[in-house]
Amino acid sequence: KSAHDLAFVVKSMLERDYYQNATVIISLDTAGERSAGLFYMTGAVRGGGPMEIPFNEKFTVSKAILRAGGFADFANERKVLVQRPKPDGSTETITVNVKEVIEKGRQDLDIEVLPNDLIRVPERLINF
């Protein structure tokens, strides 16, 4: 049954035995139910910390930064670092020019975020 159909059934049962005019709202909460894993955001963004990778979506570095509230004032948008753990225990570091992705639509530069990635947004020395 759909949520609407179930609400109608529960409403009729409540009105038969308990209430004169019942209001029943049923919804499905799927937030957090399906996650592809966690990534970690740090540096010059408005909100950092651990975040979930959405299930069934190509989740990229630019989307991750948007989820973190966007760049802070002195963020170096050209040198966003993605530190990715490798199976052998070492770490691979990938530099992403998010400014090119956003301003010029260079989706080919926007890499997919994988579980356990650490995304670091460094600060610029001069704000221009």
Side-chain angles (χ1 to χ4, degrees):
K1 293 187 181 235
S2 70
H4 182 266
D5 293 339
L6 184 58
F8 183 75
V9 170
V10 171
K11 176 181 169 53
S12 63
M13 292 172 67
L14 287 172
E15 288 177 344
R16 183 180 44 204
D17 296 329
Y18 299 105
Y19 297 99
Q20 185 174 5
N21 189 10
T23 301
V24 178
I25 300 172
I26 297 178
S27 65
L28 181 62
D29 182 13
T30 60
E33 184 177 274
R34 291 186 174 198
S35 170
L38 292 176
F39 70 96
Y40 305 89
M41 179 72 69
T42 186
V45 289
R46 302 212 184 274
M51 299 181 188
E52 289 189 0
I53 300 170
F55 186 73
N56 280 344
E57 178 182 342
K58 184 179 180 198
F59 194 70
T60 60
V61 172
S62 63
K63 290 179 183 178
I65 290 168
L66 289 173
R67 166 135 338 141
F71 288 112
D73 291 336
F74 290 95
N76 188 344
E77 301 169 16
R78 289 183 169 99
K79 294 184 180 177
V80 175
L81 303 173
V82 179
Q83 294 179 311
R84 180 166 291 165
K86 295 171 96 179
D88 64 3
S90 65
T91 302
E92 172 185 16
T93 301
I94 305 163
T95 303
V96 180
N97 186 341
V98 178
K99 188 170 183 97
E100 287 279 318
V101 172
I102 294 171
E103 289 183 0
K104 297 186 180 172
R106 294 282 314 269
Q107 298 301 316
D108 58 310
L109 300 176
D110 203 8
I111 66 167
E112 188 170 1
V113 176
L114 299 178
N116 298 316
D117 279 357
L118 172 66
I119 301 173
R120 291 185 356 180
V121 180
E123 289 187 349
R124 288 180 278 135
L125 296 177
I126 301 172
N127 190 14
F128 53 90

